[in-house]
Coordinates of all heavy atoms in Angstrom, one line a residue:
A84 N 115.5 57.4 51.6 CA 115.3 58.3 50.5 C 114.8 59.7 50.9 O 114.1 59.9 51.8 CB 114.2 57.7 49.6
S85 N 115.3 60.7 50.1 CA 115.0 62.1 50.3 C 115.4 62.9 49.1 O 116.4 62.6 48.5 CB 115.7 62.6 51.5 OG 115.6 64.0 51.6
T86 N 114.5 63.8 48.8 CA 114.9 64.8 47.8 C 115.1 66.2 48.5 O 116.1 66.8 48.6 CB 113.9 64.9 46.6 OG1 113.9 63.7 45.9 CG2 114.2 66.0 45.7
R87 N 113.9 66.7 49.0 CA 113.9 68.0 49.6 C 114.8 68.2 50.8 O 115.5 69.2 50.9 CB 112.5 68.4 50.0 CG 111.6 68.9 49.0 CD 110.2 68.4 49.3 NE 110.2 67.0 49.1 CZ 110.0 66.5 47.8 NH1 109.8 67.2 46.8 NH2 110.1 65.2 47.6
T88 N 114.6 67.3 51.8 CA 115.3 67.6 53.0 C 116.8 67.5 52.8 O 117.6 68.4 53.3 CB 114.9 66.5 54.1 OG1 113.5 66.4 54.1 CG2 115.3 66.9 55.5
R137 N 119.1 61.4 58.4 CA 117.8 60.8 58.2 C 118.0 59.3 58.3 O 119.0 58.8 57.7 CB 117.1 61.1 56.9 CG 115.9 60.2 56.7 CD 115.1 60.7 55.4 NE 114.4 62.0 55.6 CZ 113.6 62.5 54.8 NH1 113.3 61.9 53.6 NH2 113.0 63.7 55.0
H165 N 110.0 64.7 62.4 CA 110.7 65.4 61.3 C 110.6 66.9 61.7 O 109.9 67.7 61.1 CB 109.9 65.2 60.0 CG 110.7 65.5 58.7 ND1 111.8 66.3 58.7 CD2 110.4 65.2 57.4 CE1 112.2 66.5 57.5 NE2 111.4 65.8 56.7
Q168 N 110.9 69.9 59.2 CA 109.7 70.0 58.3 C 108.6 70.7 59.1 O 107.9 71.6 58.5 CB 109.3 68.6 57.9 CG 108.0 68.6 57.0 CD 108.3 69.1 55.6 OE1 109.3 68.7 55.0 NE2 107.4 69.9 55.1
P303 N 103.7 68.0 52.6 CA 105.1 68.1 52.8 C 105.9 67.7 51.6 O 107.1 68.0 51.5 CB 105.4 67.1 54.0 CG 104.2 66.2 54.0 CD 103.0 67.0 53.4
L304 N 105.3 67.0 50.7 CA 105.9 66.4 49.5 C 106.9 65.3 50.0 O 107.4 65.4 51.1 CB 106.6 67.4 48.7 CG 105.7 68.6 48.2 CD1 106.5 69.6 47.3 CD2 104.5 68.0 47.4
P305 N 107.2 64.3 49.1 CA 106.7 64.2 47.8 C 105.2 63.8 47.8 O 104.7 63.1 48.6 CB 107.5 63.0 47.3 CG 107.9 62.2 48.5 CD 108.1 63.2 49.6
Ligands
CP572 N1 109.3 66.5 52.9 C1 110.3 65.7 52.9 O1 110.8 65.2 53.9 O2 110.7 65.4 51.6 P1 111.9 64.4 51.2 O3 111.5 63.0 51.6 O4 112.1 64.5 49.7 O5 113.1 64.9 52.0

Side-chain angles (χ1 to χ4, degrees):
S85 170
T86 296
R87 275 144 293 275
T88 311
R137 171 173 290 187
H165 194 347
Q168 178 72 43
L304 303 181

